[in-house]
Amino acid sequence: MLKKTTAPDIEALRLLDDRLRWLSAWTIHNANHVRESKDGLKVGGHQASCASITAIMAALYFHALGPNDKVAVKPHAGPVLHAIHYLLGSQSREQLENFRGFGGMQSYPSRTKDRIPVDFSTGSVGLGVAITAFASLVQDYLLAHGMMQPEEAGRMIALMGDAELDEGNIYECLIEAYKHDIRNCWWIVDYNRQSLDATTAERMFRRFDEIFASCGWRVVTLKYGKLMQAAFEEEGGDALKAWIDEVSNADYAALTYLGGAAWRERLLKDAPEVQPILDARDDDALHALMTNLGGHDMEAIVEAFDGAQDDVPTLFIAYTIKGQGLPFAGHKDNHAGLMNPTQIAALREKMGVAEGEEWEPWAGLGGNSAEAVKALVENSRIAKAARERPWNVAEVPSITPPAGEEQSTQAAFGRILLDLAKVGGPLADRIVTTSPDVTVSTNLGAWVNQRGLFRRQALADVFAAAKIPSAQKWGATEAGQHIELGIAENNLFLMLAALGLAGDIFGERLFPIGTVYDPFIARGLDALNYGCYQDARFMLVATPSGVTLGPEGGAHQSINPPLIAMGQPGLRHYEPAFVDELALFMEEGFRLMQSEEGESVYLRLTTRSIRQIERTDDSWKEDALQGGYWLRAPAPGAEAALVYSGAIAPEALAAWDALQEDMPGLGLLAVTSPDLLHRGWSNRRSARWGGKSAEPSHIETLLAPLSRDAGLVTLLDGSPAALSWLGGVAGHRVSPLGLDRFGQTGSLQDLYRYYRLDADAVVEACAELFLD
């Protein structure tokens, strides 16, 4: 439990609120009006959005936060977070001066780009809110599995702008959080009632209590500050409170901007009963009263935080004013508004900051006040060392490919996981699987049967208890290692991101594996990018893929995921055709997930069962891990090569067999990762201009045996652009085959023939190259 703050603490927190408002405003002003502009572009920043939340952040960081609590800060309050760390001594003046400059503090809090400790990156609206709920679930998982002690647990907190509650992913998350009975989670809404384009519709906020309460959350509303509460006890106070509760958000914002005289005129017109309250105050005092909302009143904020010290998830709705204390407070255009030099000078004078001392941490504070504030900062429980990030926590065993002459990569994936589950060991014990209601259809069923579902409260398998035959025996306990999710891909990727950050956030690395249908990656793409941006480590298994899904039809058939993978930093794509390739890539994936220089891995699998190839040795493996290898090596100076990726391998082999007598020396190149090949080639091209070593990339080495005017036929069950770029490596002619239209139902033979993915199409494409 937190101690209740004393009166001197409250005053020190108020002074910290002023310091954060000043430093965040000055940081943005310096970047836009003081620092030299090399390109003439507006640097930007959000002075108004910072000012509306400084009191909340002062109370949170210097009073309420415990040493294990983690916070996702709303994107536009990034300068406030940096100001906090500046006061703590963990941020430099140089970084503040270089706000939004190259190498300086980032526009929005970033785990990977900022130099201060950032718990969760934010920037894509709503995602930073939702990930805290999944982080809470991960913490419960670690506690249940004995990887954390109860005293190490903390609270997962999101600071959000009210407009973020328009994001649908928050409500998807809210439903999932309710199903998993999350705890130790606070969401704090900076309810300044102004977004980029408009004021917030007040009608909706009257429903948030119901929405959150129905999902098990406590809702705490901070609407009235202490000045307001005292005024409500005066003669005319009931009428004042009624007027405040009924006036529109737009009117309140406009009156805030206009000031005391406007408040007086409007109140006399709408509620003449408040005359005694008006008579007792001049215009400045009246303006101070009407802007004394709960989200700016330090005593009210501290009381609210102190009153929520259990583990019940809590939504704080803190009424605030956008731009509080700044000259454009309440103005509808203040979202990206910037104070001009005259206005910042007036604010500096108001804050008591001498010219030339703008960057001084305690400028404007008297001696006794400065000492009290410094003491509060120095004794805050967030001034702590970050947990060391764990690397190489589990040895990766050699994964033996499942036996069988004909297999699909999807089925083999399930068998590999089952074998790991049975053998056990440090790796298997730290694997956590999750899926958006496609666990069975993506071949995770056997793993779940072996390792169980995770729930804090045990759930019996009703069908098993009733002795109803079923292949799935899924009892849920605290020992389970599969987290069941509903059909919401955003939740899948946020769950993977939270699991993939367990080492960074909680000091215990996990090996998350998430499965999803390949075309539905696009439904959660923003959240996938968000996880990669934070350097979360996970394995994404997307299956089934392409028109190879056959009778399922177009809505479930993917086209562009290979291109998505090629463009996504922090995510390595492998597309195995054979199960020994899959086993190799899973081994590599587990290594990459715990390597300091590693990344997440995306495996694009298929339900198609194909005949496995016989290997004479393991020489292919090193090349396969780099993105490609010759399944049939070309003769020196060969005039052509077939290039394929993934499940389409049988068609490529059949075409090679049909052509190799007429085209001696024809090569057959297996591309296991268009992503890695393109990365290597692109890096090599850029390295030569950066003064770095420019060794040939892997794809250049692979294509080197071919004649300079050789032709390439590229083939994959996906967008042809994922391979057609190969022609640019050495100037080879290319005839690209692949999908550029939506799929449809049908047998594989019919679909491959229609979409020109069969062996005949490869032969025709090869002939076309030479006829041209």
Side-chain angles (χ1 to χ4, degrees), residues 138 389 494-504 509-510 512 534-538 593 600:
V138 172
R389 193 178 193 188
L494 288 170
M495 183 80 257
L496 287 174
L499 288 165
L501 289 173
D504 301 47
R509 182 166 295 284
L510 297 171
Q534 303 198 71
D535 196 24
R537 303 292 178 81
F538 50 84
M593 289 159 71
S600 292

Side-chain angles (χ1 to χ4, degrees), residues 496-667:
L496 287 174
L499 288 165
L501 289 173
D504 301 47
I505 301 298
F506 303 111
E508 291 290 341
R509 182 166 295 284
L510 297 171
F511 295 91
I513 300 176
T515 61
V516 66
Y517 283 16
D518 195 53
F520 301 144
I521 287 176
R523 295 180 65 176
L525 196 52
D526 192 15
L528 171 61
N529 179 68
Y530 175 68
C532 291
Y533 178 62
Q534 303 198 71
D535 196 24
R537 303 292 178 81
F538 50 84
M539 183 179 290
L540 171 63
V541 179
T543 179
S545 61
V547 296
T548 300
L549 186 54
E552 280 278 352
H556 284 182
Q557 294 169 335
S558 56
I559 297 172
N560 64 341
L563 297 178
I564 291 173
M566 290 175 72
Q568 179 60 61
L571 185 69
R572 179 177 300 193
H573 164 220
Y574 284 119
E575 186 155 350
F578 305 108
V579 299
D580 56 358
E581 294 173 351
L582 171 64
L584 178 69
F585 301 151
M586 289 184 71
E587 274 187 41
E588 181 72 359
F590 289 129
R591 282 190 285 268
L592 288 168
M593 289 159 71
Q594 58 181 327
S595 166
E596 191 166 359
E597 303 301 322
E599 58 190 332
S600 292
V601 176
Y602 155 43
L603 303 176
R604 190 172 188 246
L605 307 185
T606 178
T607 52
R608 184 189 187 189
S609 184
I610 66 174
R611 179 171 294 278
Q612 300 302 294
I613 197 162
E614 292 185 13
R615 309 282 190 185
T616 57
D617 56 42
D618 291 338
S619 60
W620 59 278
K621 290 186 174 181
E622 184 177 349
D623 282 353
L625 287 174
Q626 295 183 66
Y629 67 97
W630 286 107
L631 191 61
R632 300 286 186 266
E639 295 297 320
L642 310 182
V643 183
Y644 77 91
S645 187
I648 217 79
E651 282 61 43
L653 278 164
W656 186 88
D657 284 337
L659 289 167
Q660 54 99 12
E661 285 189 12
D662 294 331
M663 303 180 68
L666 177 68

